Amino acid sequence: MSELAAFAHWYVEPDPSSAGNFLKLTLFAEFPNTLRVARDMTATFLQGAGADEAVDDVRLIISELVGNVVNHAVPDLCLARPGGSRRIDVTFKLWPKWLFVGVADEDSTPPLLPLGDTFSPGLLGEMSEAVLPDSGRGLLLVQRVAAAVWCTPEEPGGKTVWCRFDLDGETADRQP
């Protein structure tokens, strides 16, 4: 039942009386400090909301998801602007039990979420670097750190990759 309640919460913006916190920031992929700003704003928001225990994990996930947009996202034709910057929206929805993090971009292509390990642990040995792929581990890491990961399409194009983090429940009295 708590899993269902958690997914119901990400559909709505928190009511100010619900002990929830909400933040949405817009970044641009071509800005040279986009990743640093995303990580710093993540830490500032979570520390200010009293979710210090989640800061390191969420900063890591933000680095992976925003980095994927910077390195791989190609805007849909309906959203592309010649010479324009690629927009990245980062959303945080925080309740006493859950933190939802969304990273939206202008590319409708869904991410390829791994279904399992990208390599067989039995193949690891002295030459593990020869077995590990050079890319594609970021979303696997996201899936291992977050409690849930999913993707939603956006109108008129683009997508949002969402992650849910289960918090310890001792943060019910958070104030923005």
Side-chain angles (χ1 to χ4, degrees), residues 16-118:
S17 64
S18 71
N21 292 282
F22 179 81
L23 174 69
K24 185 169 190 173
L25 37 122
T26 298
L27 305 165
F28 295 96
E30 287 73 21
F31 184 66
N33 294 319
T34 296
L35 285 170
R36 184 186 53 78
V37 169
R39 285 189 301 266
D40 291 351
M41 289 301 297
T42 297
T44 299
F45 171 73
L46 292 175
Q47 290 166 345
D52 295 34
E53 73 278 3
V55 169
D56 292 336
D57 287 347
V58 178
R59 280 179 54 140
L60 175 63
I61 297 312
I62 288 294
S63 290
E64 290 297 332
L65 294 178
V66 171
N68 281 351
V69 176
V70 169
N71 294 314
H72 305 294
V74 177
D76 295 347
L77 288 177
C78 64
L79 299 173
R81 293 172 307 279
S85 294
R86 294 174 293 148
R87 180 181 172 138
I88 305 168
D89 291 320
V90 181
T91 303
F92 299 94
K93 295 180 180 187
L94 177 65
W95 279 270
K97 293 182 183 179
W98 305 290
L99 168 65
F100 297 94
V101 176
V103 176
D105 62 57
E106 299 170 317
D107 183 347
S108 293
T109 307
L112 296 174
L113 296 173
L115 297 176
D117 290 329
T118 57

Side-chain angles (χ1 to χ4, degrees), residues 115-126:
L115 297 176
D117 290 329
T118 57
F119 60 92
S120 170
L123 295 176
L124 291 178
E126 296 176 19

